[in-house]
Amino acid sequence: MPTYTVDDVTLHYAEYGSADGLPVMLLHAFPLSGGMWQPQAEALVASLGCHVIVPDLRGSGASSVPLGPYPMERMAADVLALADHLGLASFVLGGLSMGGYVSFAVLRAAPDRLRALILADTRPGADTADGQRAREGLAQLAEREGAAPIAETMLPNLLSATGLASGAIPDRVRALILANSGAGIAGAARGMALRPDASDLLPTIACPTLIIVGEQDLVTPPHFAQTMFESIPNATLQVISDAGHLSNMEQPDAFADIVEHFLRALPTAS
Ligand code: MLT
């Protein structure tokens, strides 16, 4: 896996397809890593010849675990540094859940870099005080006991009942979570607790935007997607049935088809 460095922090990313394809950067959910995007990355290369870039955000996957917290603005700066590293003047940015929170921070920092935006199973609002306290509890649990109790606590909310019963999907989600360190999970949890409300950004989004949500998403239920759809000028909304929060992992083909259809309609995509 290739790497780049930001202020002495080594960050990993995966690249799929050839560098002359439409650049599409996909940001992962918490507390997973870029591996969650593999089916969609492969599908977009096969169908559209895209150049798909999948970072492991700081503290996750094979990336370094610097001292936290990791504010969304910090991770957005990492994303923009990766785009610079790859020489991408502009790119399609997609993020699921925490990946969406980071996408909002990229949008605030550098809206002109985005050719299109994909917001999946995410929400624009900040955490409530109760939500921040829960994040701190989760961060402390991760620091004390590592990723295992985090996986067991979070899994029931990440997938639909059908997905949870399937065996293979929860196993895949669990494996991605267990590969992360407690310190990295804590850094991201505390970073999410610090994020500002991004609702003010929604009416300013100038690029084509695709909003996707799993019909049974318990973490960021479909009403958040509906609100974003109503507030973003050039938006499309797609609801994926038989999917919970990690809609791309539960329905990989449906998710990839939706993204493919969206990218095909972009003026610059062939
Ligand atoms: C995620 O999927 O990234 C997280 O569940 C988001 C959150 O906890 O707000």
Side-chain angles (χ1 to χ4, degrees):
M1 236 208 231
T3 64
Y4 69 112
T5 57
V6 179
D7 297 337
D8 292 333
V9 175
T10 303
L11 299 170
H12 284 244
Y13 61 98
E15 262 184 303
Y16 302 80
S18 109
D20 53 11
L22 175 71
V24 179
M25 180 124 52
L26 298 175
L27 307 182
H28 62 80
F30 168 88
L32 288 90
S33 59
M36 67 173 252
W37 288 118
Q38 188 177 344
Q40 287 77 34
E42 289 172 351
L44 293 176
V45 172
S47 60
L48 291 179
C50 290
H51 174 204
V52 184
I53 305 114
V54 184
D56 284 338
L57 296 168
R58 60 174 56 210
S60 299
S63 284
S64 302
V65 183
L67 194 64
Y70 314 140
M72 301 300 99
E73 296 78 8
R74 173 65 268 166
M75 299 216 229
D78 294 341
V79 166
L80 289 166
L82 175 55
D84 292 344
H85 172 76
L86 295 171
L88 304 176
S90 68
F91 55 97
V92 177
L93 181 63
L96 191 143
S97 200
M98 181 179 78
Y101 307 159
V102 178
S103 299
F104 287 129
V106 173
L107 192 68
R108 200 181 284 286
D112 296 344
R113 301 289 293 271
L114 300 192
R115 201 178 286 191
L117 181 62
I118 302 165
L119 297 169
D121 299 282
T122 194
R123 63 190 166 105
D127 283 353
T128 61
D130 281 351
Q132 289 175 329
R133 272 190 287 279
R135 296 246 193 245
E136 182 53 32
L138 196 83
Q140 290 183 16
L141 178 63
E143 284 174 332
R144 253 190 346 262
E145 297 181 35
I150 305 300
E152 295 324 310
T153 305
M154 290 191 65
L155 251 172
N157 287 328
L158 296 179
L159 299 170
S160 71
T162 313
L164 278 171
S166 74
I169 302 170
D171 284 354
R172 175 90 184 115
V173 175
R174 191 180 285 107
L176 288 169
I177 297 176
L178 292 181
N180 287 332
S181 68
I185 292 173
R190 292 190 176 115
M192 286 192 289
L194 295 172
R195 75 188 191 284
D197 191 332
S199 303
D200 62 304
L201 282 176
L202 303 181
T204 73
I205 298 177
C207 61
T209 302
L210 170 63
I211 300 160
I212 303 176
V213 66
E215 197 173 20
Q216 282 105 44
D217 184 343
L218 298 175
V219 180
T220 51
H223 69 87
F224 289 113
Q226 182 66 33
T227 301
M228 292 193 289
F229 173 61
E230 287 165 11
S231 308
I232 298 174
N234 184 7
T236 310
L237 171 62
Q238 293 286 346
V239 180
I240 301 185
S241 49
D242 300 319
H245 184 57
L246 298 177
S247 58
N248 77 306
M249 294 190 75
E250 259 193 275
Q251 297 296 339
D253 294 344
F255 195 107
D257 285 352
I258 288 168
V259 173
E260 181 191 326
H261 189 261
F262 171 70
L263 295 181
R264 265 191 207 285
L266 293 181
T268 46
S270 53

